[in-house]
Amino acid sequence: MNITVDDLPPAEFSSKGAAATAKNTKASLLVNRLREAILSGELAPGAKINLDTVRRQLDVSLSPLREALARLIAVGLVELHDNRGYTVAPVSLSNLAEITKLRVEFESLALSSAIVRGDLAWESDVMRALHRLNRTERIASEPATLEAWEHAHRDFHMMLLAGCGMPLLLNACIMLHNLNDRYRRIFLMAQGGDRNVAAEHSEIAQGAVARDADYACAKLREHIQRTGSNLHNSLAGQLQP
């Protein structure tokens, strides 16, 4: 895992408050770095996370590293075992199926609420995120374009749900989307896009801003289910049941 944390703040501060802030800042940065490494497959599913190795590579102390790993455990990306220490959460076809099912239910619920509660600013943010996503090129042979598309794709899906007014539900949707990301990235790295997802995204967004909850939620459910089925078919020979 060749990542650095050059932009982390100094480790020593003159006050306890500043030291606590620095610890939280370091942990937050580490969460972002480690999460990206896991979602992209740089840290492989099931791989052991050696604290000393990671600490040296990231040039941080154990305290913020343990805090970062605790946060990643909370969102299902890392596991802690009594006799094995920290490992990257494994992947499986049954796990993918569960994630897909929960995404369908949770995200359609969040979107229906956002359509009722969202204001004009929410509508504008949704269409802006859609435009940015549709203008972001994705080429299977160029990892940099895949990464840029992934970020734009995540922003679009989360912006759709942002107006739901239910923080716990939104957090659950974010967690499930991140868990699903690992599977889709494996699929896209090998094969690229499998269908006209731009049209699917546009249908969802247009239905949402038109306040047609039935149409938008139906299109979102179809979109998630189709992605889950395609991923399952693509990865059936590579993953455990």
Side-chain angles (χ1 to χ4, degrees), residues 52-213:
D52 288 335
T53 300
V54 175
R55 180 181 60 79
R56 289 194 299 270
Q57 289 178 336
L58 300 181
D59 191 25
V60 294
S61 64
L62 282 175
S63 182
L65 178 56
R66 290 185 185 276
E67 171 64 22
L69 291 172
R71 297 187 197 180
L72 292 172
I73 290 172
V75 296
L77 291 174
V78 171
E79 296 181 349
L80 177 60
H81 307 273
D82 290 340
N83 58 343
R84 295 173 54 202
Y86 296 96
T87 63
V88 178
V91 293
S92 67
L93 295 178
S94 60
N95 179 251
L96 173 60
E98 181 179 3
I99 291 169
T100 300
K101 181 176 182 179
L102 290 174
R103 282 193 66 202
V104 166
E105 298 302 326
F106 286 15
E107 290 189 31
S108 59
L109 175 60
L111 179 58
S112 65
S113 179
I115 289 172
V116 172
R117 298 177 178 223
D119 55 13
L120 181 60
W122 170 76
E123 291 184 12
S124 300
D125 289 340
V126 167
M127 297 311 294
R128 189 180 303 113
L130 174 67
H131 179 71
R132 183 165 55 250
L133 174 59
N134 286 343
R135 294 295 296 271
T136 302
E137 190 175 30
R138 177 177 57 167
I139 303 172
S141 60
E142 299 181 16
T145 69
L146 293 178
E147 182 178 351
W149 188 89
E150 286 292 341
H151 286 296
H153 181 252
R154 180 180 184 279
D155 288 345
F156 168 71
H157 273 275
M158 293 304 103
M159 192 56 65
L160 277 171
L161 313 180
C164 72
M166 293 185 280
L168 293 177
L169 177 60
L170 186 58
N171 285 337
C173 291
I174 292 171
M175 180 184 73
L176 290 167
H177 192 89
N178 283 335
L179 293 174
N180 190 78
D181 268 357
R182 288 200 296 170
Y183 291 93
R184 194 182 60 256
R185 288 192 182 192
I186 293 170
F187 176 55
L188 291 177
M189 285 296 289
Q191 302 184 27
D194 64 302
R195 62 187 195 272
N196 187 4
V197 292
E200 296 177 18
H201 291 142
S202 294
E203 289 174 342
I204 298 167
Q206 289 166 6
V209 300
R211 308 293 173 159
D212 189 339

